[in-house]
Amino acid sequence: MAGILTRIGIEQFAVTFDLLIRAPRAIVDGAEVAAAVGVRDGRIVHVGPLTSADAQGAVEVVQLGTDEVLLPGLVDTHVHVNEPGRTEWEGFASATRAAAAGGITTIVDMPLNSVPPTIDTGALEIKRRVAEPQSVVNVGFWGGAVPGNLDQLRPLHEAGVFGFKCFLLHSGVDEFPPLSLPELEKALIEIASFDGLMIVHAEDSDVISSAPAAHGQAYTGFLDSRPRAAENLAISQVIELSRRTGCRVHILHLSSSDALPMIAAAKRDGVRVTAETCPHYLCFDAEDIPAGATQFKCCPPIREAANRELLWQGLADGTIDTIVTDHSPSTVDLKHLDTGDFGDAWGGIASLQVSLPAVWTEARRRGFSLADVVRWMGVNTADQVGLSDRGRIAVGAVADLVAFAPEEHFTVDVATLHHKNAVTAYDRLGLTGVVRRSWIAPVGQLLRT
């Protein structure tokens, strides 16, 4: 902390703070330290030792307990809010309340499953008008890359989307069709011309078409319908197109550990590729999913326990950059819990409110620190979308902060979550880590690149 004091200067200690938080435990610069954090006009203006700041002029002073850790607000760059058009699945009011309760203070909304999808500037403006009066956390937007909207990519970029999402197979909704590989290459060339980012749902449609169709209550049947080979082939194709075009690409919701060596090799070669995984791939395993438990259905699927451990290793060595929720809720009826048929059920897991404790519970079992979790879910996710003033406790950063009790245990009760629909794979799961309070400033800001 001595270096921080030198940079700030002693004269800063007498300033008036809107908020002063004294935290015996805080995550600062990748380590857990005791810190005083001063906030003015929505920004962090002081970070120093616990007794460094004068509280006399502070409007509000908060003293955290020794059982709490001050975290930066987390940044979730993969959230399906679904509003407008499918607001009965989720909406900005419910999603952002859930995010805040879970320590997530910034979300970036996916361009589907809303209607219209965010594939042109008109749809983007519709989404912004809907989101602004309802959101209690900061919200940004991805654009979509679909057949026929190549001429919309630059206008969407100039309008402030953080990048573009595409699928290489059917997305699950007809209004967001997939790109062929030639179409993907053309989109990457266009996006590279303004140094944008393409994020890819990487599963190969031909491999999946050749696999047995999902049906019935056995989870193994669903797993067989989405083989690792589909991910592996698609990821290799995306990497090669990135190498050829120079476009930045990001692999979404990585579930196949087989792809880790090729991602690591591409990074070493200077290919501009990053990758994410999700809490459900890190917490659950295929062997333990009961028959008919369609709340666990997602695409790509949750794979075996050995695969899960390799994903954790990929996080440890930096091959996987971020952890995001892929919060993809639906109404309860679409999960077909009554029949338990994995072929009929909607594929998506609601996890926005519980992602931090879920990841922390599993991370601490494997010897990772809370600073590691903040790096994967705050620093790196913020940096991925160019929000370098979020996801960290530092002078000049946005004052989005979270009081987290990392040793407190609780059992998830889906009925108490802010998600609009009471269905999640985490229901009745025992977790460690409770968000006790979130500070969000400025509240509900709509973000642009």
Side-chain angles (χ1 to χ4, degrees), residues 25-351:
R25 304 167 68 188
I27 303 300
V28 180
D29 290 339
E32 184 176 307
V33 297
V37 178
V39 175
R40 186 173 62 244
D41 297 329
R43 293 271 173 179
I44 296 173
V45 296
H46 170 73
V47 182
L50 194 60
T51 59
S52 61
D54 185 358
Q56 185 172 359
V59 176
E60 180 183 5
V61 179
V62 175
Q63 175 70 52
L64 296 188
T66 57
D67 64 335
E68 298 172 310
V69 181
L70 185 66
L71 308 181
L74 303 182
V75 177
D76 190 342
T77 56
H78 195 149
V79 179
H80 293 270
V81 177
N82 306 327
E83 187 176 13
R86 292 189 174 93
T87 310
E88 69 274 16
W89 293 16
E90 192 71 279
F92 285 100
S94 54
T96 59
R97 284 198 305 271
I104 296 167
T105 57
T106 297
I107 65 170
V108 187
D109 174 55
M110 284 290 164
L112 75 162
N113 302 304
S114 57
V115 180
T118 316
I119 56 175
D120 55 47
T121 56
L124 176 62
E125 287 311 309
I126 289 171
K127 200 166 255 201
R128 282 177 171 153
R129 287 198 300 272
V130 171
E132 187 167 22
Q134 301 187 72
S135 300
V136 298
V137 302
N138 306 293
V139 178
F141 301 95
W142 295 106
V146 298
N149 86 325
L150 189 66
D151 62 346
Q152 288 296 310
L153 301 183
R154 184 178 290 270
L156 278 165
H157 171 74
E158 292 173 348
V161 300
F162 286 90
F164 304 91
K165 180 178 186 177
C166 73
F167 281 74
L168 301 183
L169 77 171
H170 194 277
S171 68
V173 292
D174 291 338
E175 67 273 5
F176 201 95
L179 295 179
S180 66
L181 288 177
E183 288 169 331
L184 174 60
E185 183 169 11
K186 290 178 181 178
L188 293 179
I189 291 169
E190 174 66 9
I191 293 167
S193 72
F194 49 79
D195 197 29
L197 173 65
M198 177 72 93
I199 63 176
V200 186
H201 183 124
E203 288 182 285
D204 182 78
S205 60
D206 290 337
V207 172
I208 288 180
S209 295
S210 300
H215 67 280
Q217 294 189 346
Y219 184 76
T220 53
F222 172 62
L223 191 60
D224 291 343
S225 76
R226 312 290 290 215
R228 295 173 186 232
E231 271 192 277
N232 301 338
L233 177 57
I235 289 169
S236 70
Q237 292 166 335
V238 170
I239 287 172
E240 288 311 304
L241 287 175
S242 174
R243 190 191 307 270
R244 185 184 309 168
T245 63
C247 187
R248 292 187 293 138
V249 297
H250 179 75
I251 305 302
L252 296 170
H253 42 50
L254 179 68
S255 80
S256 172
S257 63
D258 295 349
L260 291 171
M262 76 176 86
I263 295 171
K267 288 185 172 190
R268 289 194 299 271
D269 289 346
V271 178
R272 304 173 77 190
V273 60
T274 53
E276 68 184 36
T277 193
C278 303
H280 38 276
Y281 302 131
L282 299 170
C283 294
F284 303 121
D285 60 74
E287 293 92 334
D288 288 337
I289 295 177
T294 55
Q295 65 270 31
F296 289 92
K297 180 180 177 180
C298 58
C299 299
I302 296 164
R303 303 193 187 277
E304 300 84 357
N307 180 88
R308 178 192 61 205
E309 297 312 309
L310 289 171
L311 292 178
W312 278 106
Q313 182 56 46
L315 284 162
D317 66 26
T319 303
I320 301 174
D321 302 271
T322 61
I323 303 174
V324 296
T325 59
D326 188 13
H327 177 72
S328 187
S330 70
T331 53
V332 176
D333 62 295
L334 290 178
K335 279 296 189 181
H336 291 281
L337 296 169
D338 53 342
T339 66
D341 192 312
F342 279 96
D344 294 337
W346 173 259
I349 292 178
S351 59

